[in-house]
Amino acid sequence: MIRKPYKTNKNISRLFYILMMIIFVWFIGIQILGPDEQFFDQSGHSIIYNGTFTWKKSDGTKQNISVPGRYKVPAKQTMIITTTLPDDYNENVIAIRSSLQDVRFYIDGKLRKEYNAKSLHRFGKNSASRYIFCNTSSADAGKELCLELTTYTSNYSGVVNTIYCGDQMQIWSYIFNHNFSGTVIGSFIFFASIVTILFSIALGIVYKTKFNMEYLGWCTLMGSVWMIGESKMRQILVPNASGLATSCFIMLMLCPLPISLYVNNLQKGKYKKIFQSICFIALLNFIICTILHLTGVADYIETMPAAHAILIITFLAVILTFLIRYWNHRSRSDCLLFFGLLITMLSVIFEAISVYYKVSVSGVFVGIAILILLFINVIYTIHIIRDIIKRQQQEELDKRKKNIEEMSLQLMQMLSTTIEAKDEYTKGHSHRVAEYSVLIARELGWNEKELSNLKNAAHLHDIGKIAIPDTILNKPSKLSEEEFSIIKEHTIIGANILKNISLIDHVQEIVRNHHERYDGNGYPDGLKGKEIPLHARIVAVADSYDAMSSQRIYRNQLPPEKIIQELENNKGTQFDPEITDIFLKLLREDRIHVKEDLLSITENTQIPEAEIEMSQFISDIMSTIRTQKAKENLDFLTGLPTRNKGEQAIAQLMKRHSGCLVFMDMDNLKTINDIYGHKAGDRVLKLLGNLLLEYSSECLVCRLGGDEFLLFMPNADQNSITEVITAIFKKFNTRKEQDPELHAASISAGLYMCNIGDSFDECYTKADKALYFVKQNGKSDFSFYRQISESGCDDHTVKNDLSLIAKALRENGNYSGVLDLDYREFAKIYEYMHHLGNRYKYHCYLVMVTMETNPDHIMYIENIEDALDCMEQAIRQKIRKVDICTHYSSMQYLIILYETDETKIPQIMNRIFIEYYKLYSKHHLEPTYEYIPIMKNKAPNI
């Protein structure tokens, strides 16, 4: 029985999802609407410096400015701003973010802090953007602070960022609080990208294919590097923030490559030239910009518009090709991927353009879009994996199917060869017939597949001869009519053997009809002309030619001239004229040559040994299977048959013999196992098993499992079975005393006396009930079942097909009865009456009387016995002296009515039933009858 997978309660699942959604909404709401507890400062102190700033221009003029801000300052020109620190100033540091700027702090005219990244990197004109911290103290209160900002690119010239003052940790906390989202998302996407790439490579190794998700992983990796590089926290994330900043620009220039590879693979190379061109342009742009950056001609930030243009072209190509693909295929998965790519591309374009209008961007939009694309692509990849697994499973199934078909063909051909080995004169016959048939079919213009199928089918055309006795197949003299009729049966037998074979087309037609004649005088169906299947007509010519051209036990090989004459004479009568002409043409052109292979007789002298070896191989396999099956059917510990084998054998024996079914149980086995260990328990089971094996000549015995055993003693009465069971009990008690650890063991048994035809399940249940009765009354004893339960008799009255019973009687049946005649004697008289009736045309009838239980009454053994006694008396009193009766089963009788008019049978049976109801008035069992003529096999009359 296959267990169904457990399904979670849907209501509980829904409740869980609702609760989680409520908690999620509450959490988001409290974070947005609730107070900020992370950086709460009761003093109200601000770390942003709010002093007045003056810009000292290069022409000597001054201008008050607001910070942060952006002002018109040419590239390479230093912007000088000043402020006076408050009189109560007592902060530890003052800080500003450099945007590709060199920064110098002067306090009271003295250089306090300088940042110039040229000393840290060899290439590029500008210093990387970062936070610059200048140490201060209360001693600096009231002094002038001067800031000098210098940049070499117009993108960030004149930029003055926010100035902070306070403790350095507080400043970093403030920066993190306002910029953590992009950094966290970028870091998460970075690690997710690495996992995606590694996972894709692993999938590729396992499934031996390239997954598009790997290219997407590279895309998202580049996006995450961009986000981390644009993060204001980057100088505390990596040791060299300049390198990370440079990598942002490199990623932006190179990202068209993985995007193009990803989309090109998704579209299966349909727009290969477009995306290859984009990859080439992106690589060329990267090389040129890198050269310009290394030589100091132009930094990456200055050549960025070209990278942005290429990126926009890439996105347009992706959008257009996906729209065309979706319009042509309307694929749902393509729609999802296009949606994810579109969101990602729009986010990238937004943040790329924002570089020209903002000093820095967080990358949050790109991060969210990348997460959406990753999620969609995971779903898409799962679908791909599912399709790959399905395809691999189908390929494996096809491969296995092909192997099974090849193996089946080989086994069938081996079987055919083994059959031919029964006659040394027909060895190689099937192989040659198959080759001749292929030669004919090739002349008819058949393709290779049809030729291969015909060859395989022709190999099996005589497989039905496996059922023909060797004495007939190898008879040297002419066959009698009876023998020839047996030979002709091989066509029908072979067709029945192959009726469920579907891997070879037309094989049944060939096997059944290859002995049909074109004039309709063939066998087995007498088909004529085109009614005979074409495949069978071809094989018929090939089969006859090989028979005539081969040495046979009853004649010598015919000369070629004689064979041609026979074919000419039988053209249009035995053989199809068109096929015969084709074969005669092949003969006259000397084109009838076959590959003897392993079936060669004349050239390969080792073939008889090979065929004998094949036959021996099949025989050895069958012998090995039988031996292995016999081993599997034995209990290792006791040496007795296992439950399945034992119950099957007992049930079959109960159909032919009455007797006693014994349900035996080992008492106190658990106590022995608990006190002395399982080895002691094994010893006592083995002791009982060996003891029961001593009675294997008298009964069938098996181990049901655990401490239970089952025995069946055929043809035993209650007295004899009592003696045997008593002897088993005594021997067991004697032998167990030799082992002190087994003294607690005892056996109990429930017994049920069975009649022929009784249901095994019913008898088993009753024996088990008898055992239960013993267990309830002290164990260590045995008891016969005497009373049945309310539904115990429902299955006794199983009707048998009366026609089959009549046939069994003619074949001297195996059942025994309980009236004046036992069943064997009744069978002999029945056979005598059958012959007598056939000779003198007497009208005799076989009647079966069945006692059926009334479902409205509770049945007990005493009621059944009384009713059966009354029916027996009624039959004895009301049938004639010339009629014969026997007890067929516990609930059925057979009567032969001699020389009776069929119209009188109801009167006879009513007379018997009326007498029965006079003797037994309780109506617990109600008799019915049915009959058939002994001399004719027709359906019984009820």
Side-chain angles (χ1 to χ4, degrees):
M1 179 179 180
I2 300 175
R3 298 182 63 182
K4 295 182 179 180
Y6 175 74
K7 294 183 179 179
T8 307
N9 188 295
K10 291 184 178 180
N11 293 328
I12 297 177
S13 299
R14 291 187 185 123
L15 179 61
F16 173 75
Y17 294 143
I18 292 171
L19 287 174
M20 294 307 296
M21 185 61 68
I22 292 172
I23 294 171
F24 178 76
V25 171
W26 166 82
F27 178 78
I28 297 298
I30 200 170
Q31 297 304 314
I32 296 174
L33 303 176
D36 186 357
E37 300 175 356
Q38 190 174 11
F39 296 100
F40 183 74
D41 189 352
Q42 292 182 346
S43 65
H45 174 71
S46 174
I47 64 171
I48 297 176
Y49 183 79
N50 295 315
T52 302
F53 293 90
T54 302
W55 172 22
K56 292 182 179 181
K57 298 182 179 181
S58 58
D59 58 0
T61 61
K62 297 181 180 181
Q63 177 184 342
N64 291 333
I65 60 173
S66 60
V67 176
R70 184 167 186 173
Y71 304 95
K72 293 183 179 181
V73 178
K76 301 181 182 179
Q77 182 176 325
T78 301
M79 181 180 184
I80 303 172
I81 57 176
T82 61
T83 184
T84 302
L85 298 176
D87 295 333
D88 58 349
Y89 181 83
N90 61 351
E91 305 296 347
N92 294 332
V93 295
I94 192 164
I96 190 172
R97 176 175 172 80
S98 161
S99 295
L100 300 182
Q101 299 164 323
D102 295 338
V103 180
R104 286 177 290 276
F105 285 88
Y106 292 89
I107 297 180
D108 201 19
K110 295 181 181 179
L111 181 65
R112 181 72 62 88
K113 179 71 176 179
E114 181 180 8
Y115 169 65
N116 187 340
K118 288 185 178 180
S119 60
L120 302 177
H121 61 83
R122 299 179 181 179
F123 308 106
K125 299 184 294 181
N126 296 293
S127 300
S129 301
R130 61 173 294 163
Y131 286 95
I132 314 300
F133 293 89
C134 177
N135 294 326
T136 61
S137 66
S138 58
D140 298 322
K143 296 181 180 180
E144 182 185 61
L145 170 66
C146 179
L147 279 172
E148 293 183 358
L149 306 175
T150 307
T151 184
Y152 299 92
T153 176
S154 60
N155 297 69
Y156 294 103
S157 60
V159 172
V160 182
N161 292 314
T162 303
I163 298 175
Y164 306 94
C165 62
D167 184 75
Q168 187 170 345
M169 288 302 299
Q170 289 179 339
I171 295 173
W172 276 122
S173 297
Y174 178 85
I175 295 170
F176 179 79
N177 185 42
H178 288 79
N179 300 280
F180 78 96
S181 58
T183 305
V184 171
I185 292 174
S187 301
F188 173 78
I189 294 176
F190 179 80
F191 290 107
S193 302
I194 293 176
V195 171
T196 300
I197 294 170
L198 295 177
F199 184 63
S200 301
I201 294 173
L203 286 177
I205 294 172
V206 173
Y207 292 103
K208 295 181 175 59
T209 186
K210 191 76 171 178
F211 280 87
N212 301 326
M213 194 165 65
E214 179 184 343
Y215 299 120
L216 180 64
W218 287 110
C219 293
T220 56
L221 182 67
M222 290 181 170
S224 65
V225 172
W226 166 268
M227 293 177 65
I228 296 172
E230 285 295 321
S231 170
K232 295 181 179 180
M233 307 289 297
R234 66 187 177 196
Q235 70 189 80
I236 61 173
L237 295 177
V238 294
N240 192 319
S242 301
L244 182 58
T246 303
S247 66
C248 290
F249 303 113
I250 294 174
M251 295 298 104
L252 193 61
M253 287 185 287
L254 292 180
C255 69
L257 272 69
I259 292 175
S260 299
L261 291 171
Y262 174 62
V263 176
N264 185 51
N265 275 272
L266 282 178
Q267 299 179 348
K268 303 186 185 324
K270 189 173 182 179
Y271 304 99
K272 180 180 178 181
K273 291 183 179 180
I274 295 176
F275 291 108
Q276 283 183 344
S277 301
I278 291 173
C279 290
F280 174 77
I281 294 171
L283 281 173
L284 182 62
N285 175 68
F286 170 71
I287 293 171
I288 294 172
C289 292
T290 301
I291 293 173
L292 294 175
H293 179 80
L294 295 177
T295 56
V297 176
D299 275 0
Y300 282 133
I301 186 67
E302 296 175 286
T303 57
M304 195 52 57
H308 289 162
I310 296 171
L311 191 60
I312 292 172
I313 293 172
T314 304
F315 289 164
L316 290 175
V318 171
I319 292 172
L320 290 175
T321 54
F322 255 103
L323 284 174
I324 295 172
R325 177 182 172 86
Y326 177 71
W327 182 263
N328 293 331
H329 299 283
R330 305 279 180 176
S331 172
R332 186 177 179 183
S333 59
D334 288 346
C335 183
L336 284 173
L337 283 172
F338 175 71
F339 174 74
L341 283 170
L342 183 62
I343 291 177
T344 305
M345 290 185 293
L346 291 175
S347 301
V348 171
I349 291 172
F350 172 78
E351 297 216 10
I353 294 174
S354 67
V355 171
Y356 298 100
Y357 301 99
K358 291 184 65 177
V359 174
S360 62
V361 290
S362 65
V364 173
F365 293 102
V366 173
I368 295 173
I370 288 174
L371 287 176
I372 294 173
L373 184 60
L374 267 177
F375 177 74
I376 293 174
N377 200 79
V378 167
I379 297 174
Y380 183 76
T381 303
I382 290 172
H383 283 285
I384 293 175
I385 294 172
R386 183 191 63 185
D387 294 339
I388 291 174
I389 292 173
K390 283 184 178 179
R391 186 172 65 251
Q392 289 179 343
Q393 289 176 341
Q394 187 60 46
E395 290 174 355
E396 184 66 22
L397 286 174
D398 293 341
K399 183 178 178 181
R400 289 186 180 183
K401 182 180 178 182
K402 184 178 179 181
N403 290 338
I404 291 172
E405 288 178 357
E406 291 177 354
M407 187 183 300
S408 300
L409 288 173
Q410 291 173 0
L411 288 174
M412 285 188 283
Q413 290 174 8
M414 283 174 61
L415 181 59
S416 178
T417 305
T418 304
I419 295 167
E420 292 175 357
K422 297 165 71 175
D423 179 6
E424 61 177 301
Y425 294 95
T426 60
K427 289 176 182 175
H429 168 69
S430 295
H431 171 70
R432 292 191 297 273
V433 169
E435 293 290 340
Y436 299 149
S437 300
V438 168
L439 291 174
I440 296 171
R442 185 172 281 116
E443 291 298 309
L444 291 172
W446 289 17
N447 59 42
E448 289 301 320
K449 182 178 179 181
E450 293 171 328
L451 294 175
S452 176
N453 182 80
L454 175 64
K455 183 176 181 180
N456 292 329
H459 264 291
L460 306 174
H461 75 282
D462 276 341
I463 195 171
K465 288 184 178 179
I466 192 172
I468 307 303
D470 294 352
T471 54
I472 298 178
L473 288 176
N474 296 325
K475 185 177 180 180
S477 58
K478 184 179 179 180
L479 298 176
S480 65
E481 290 185 7
E482 292 80 5
E483 291 170 334
F484 186 63
S485 65
I486 293 174
I487 281 283
K488 290 194 293 185
E489 290 179 0
H490 83 277
T491 56
I492 299 174
I493 294 171
N496 288 333
I497 291 174
L498 300 174
K499 64 183 179 181
N500 294 321
I501 300 298
S502 59
L503 57 94
I504 309 176
D505 295 333
H506 307 289
V507 65
Q508 277 187 271
E509 299 173 359
I510 291 173
V511 173
R512 185 179 182 92
N513 301 124
H514 72 279
H515 282 295
E516 299 286 358
R517 292 174 58 95
Y518 202 73
D519 58 8
N521 294 322
Y523 63 88
D525 300 319
L527 301 180
K528 182 179 181 180
K530 301 299 182 181
E531 295 176 353
I532 307 170
L534 177 59
H535 293 72
R537 281 181 271 148
I538 293 174
V539 174
V541 174
D543 185 35
S544 297
Y545 171 77
D546 188 71
M548 291 185 287
S549 62
S550 302
Q551 187 81 9
R552 294 298 169 95
I553 191 171
Y554 50 85
R555 62 156 173 79
N556 292 323
Q557 177 182 353
L558 297 181
E561 300 80 9
K562 180 65 173 176
I563 295 174
I564 293 175
Q565 182 182 352
E566 286 292 325
L567 291 173
E568 289 281 7
N569 293 340
N570 289 281
K571 182 173 63 174
T573 55
Q574 182 177 354
F575 309 120
D576 183 315
E578 180 185 357
I579 294 173
T580 307
D581 287 339
I582 291 173
F583 194 77
L584 287 170
K585 178 185 176 184
L586 293 172
L587 275 174
R588 292 188 177 108
E589 294 176 358
D590 194 24
R591 292 163 58 190
I592 303 298
H593 302 288
V594 299
K595 299 176 182 178
E596 296 293 346
D597 275 349
L598 295 177
L599 300 175
S600 174
I601 298 172
T602 57
E603 297 180 5
N604 194 341
T605 57
Q606 298 180 352
I607 289 313
E609 296 180 4
E611 292 184 346
I612 293 172
E613 187 176 330
M614 257 184 223
S615 301
Q616 186 61 43
F617 172 69
I618 295 175
S619 177
D620 290 344
I621 289 177
M622 298 305 296
S623 177
T624 303
I625 291 174
R626 286 193 295 268
T627 302
Q628 184 63 29
K629 189 174 181 180
K631 290 180 179 179
E632 292 176 353
N633 289 330
L634 288 180
D635 178 56
F636 177 77
L637 180 63
T638 62
L640 297 173
T642 57
R643 178 172 192 156
N644 290 339
K645 181 65 176 177
E647 288 185 346
Q648 182 181 5
I650 291 173
Q652 291 175 354
L653 191 61
M654 287 175 61
K655 293 179 181 179
R656 304 190 301 269
H657 298 276
S658 61
C660 182
L661 188 66
V662 183
F663 199 129
M664 188 173 291
D665 183 78
M666 172 77 69
D667 301 325
N668 304 322
L669 179 62
K670 184 177 183 303
T671 302
I672 295 173
N673 285 332
D674 292 343
I675 297 175
Y676 300 107
H678 286 84
K679 288 187 176 180
D682 290 345
R683 289 202 306 275
V684 71
L685 288 171
K686 190 172 183 180
L687 188 154
L688 181 56
N690 292 336
L691 177 57
L692 295 177
L693 279 174
E694 296 176 9
Y695 292 86
S696 58
S697 60
E698 302 178 31
C699 63
L700 282 179
V701 58
C702 70
R703 184 184 179 190
L704 296 178
D707 55 1
E708 296 177 341
F709 299 82
L710 192 67
L711 298 83
F712 179 70
M713 295 194 66
N715 304 321
D717 56 24
Q718 188 165 333
N719 293 331
S720 60
I721 190 65
T722 300
E723 293 177 2
V724 172
I725 297 299
T726 302
I728 291 174
F729 274 54
K730 288 182 179 179
K731 289 181 180 180
F732 179 80
N733 291 331
T734 301
R735 295 179 185 180
K736 75 173 185 179
E737 296 302 327
Q738 299 174 8
D739 190 336
E741 295 182 351
L742 311 183
H743 70 277
S746 63
I747 51 177
S748 300
L751 299 84
Y752 178 71
M753 299 302 299
C754 311
N755 293 315
I756 296 173
D758 283 355
S759 166
F760 171 78
D761 291 337
E762 183 179 335
C763 297
Y764 181 94
T765 301
K766 292 178 179 179
D768 187 28
K769 288 182 178 180
L771 176 62
Y772 179 76
F773 174 79
V774 174
K775 293 280 191 179
Q776 295 297 313
N777 291 274
K779 301 182 181 180
S780 303
D781 201 355
F782 63 92
S783 175
F784 288 89
Y785 176 84
R786 286 184 173 82
Q787 190 178 41
I788 63 175
S789 63
E790 294 182 10
S791 60
C793 293
D794 292 345
D795 296 329
H796 263 298
T797 56
V798 179
K799 288 188 175 181
N800 294 278
D801 188 290
L802 196 52
S803 300
L804 295 176
I805 295 171
K807 181 180 178 183
L809 288 170
R810 286 195 298 272
E811 295 173 354
N812 195 8
N814 295 322
Y815 295 94
S816 60
V818 295
L819 293 183
D820 293 340
L821 294 174
D822 65 18
Y823 189 77
R824 292 180 183 275
E825 294 172 344
F826 183 83
K828 293 177 182 178
I829 295 176
Y830 177 87
E831 186 65 20
Y832 171 75
M833 298 294 292
H834 177 69
H835 289 300
L836 195 65
N838 285 336
R839 181 169 183 177
Y840 296 105
K841 308 301 179 184
Y842 293 151
H843 297 288
C844 300
Y845 294 88
L846 178 64
V847 182
M848 172 183 280
V849 179
T850 302
M851 304 297 289
E852 296 186 346
T853 58
N854 190 329
D856 297 330
H857 293 81
I858 297 176
M859 298 300 301
Y860 297 94
I861 289 180
E862 293 80 4
N863 300 130
I864 295 175
E865 291 176 350
D866 290 345
L868 294 177
D869 288 341
C870 292
M871 175 53 71
E872 184 175 336
Q873 293 178 35
I875 293 174
R876 289 179 184 275
Q877 293 175 16
K878 296 304 178 181
I879 63 172
R880 301 168 302 169
K881 297 297 183 182
V882 294
D883 297 331
I884 307 165
C885 178
T886 187
H887 205 161
Y888 174 65
S889 72
S890 62
M891 307 293 282
Q892 292 174 311
Y893 302 87
L894 291 177
I895 303 172
I896 297 177
L897 299 178
Y898 178 70
E899 268 295 289
T900 302
D901 187 352
E902 185 174 358
T903 60
K904 302 294 184 181
I905 294 177
Q907 298 177 13
I908 297 172
M909 300 312 299
N910 287 337
R911 188 169 64 241
I912 294 173
F913 292 170
I914 290 170
E915 182 64 24
Y916 163 73
Y917 285 122
K918 288 180 181 180
L919 298 172
Y920 188 78
S921 59
K922 296 181 180 180
H923 294 278
H924 290 121
L925 291 176
E926 296 180 354
T928 62
Y929 75 94
E930 54 184 330
Y931 68 91
I932 60 170
I934 292 179
M935 271 59 75
K936 294 182 180 180
N937 291 324
K938 71 178 185 178
N941 299 299
I942 302 174

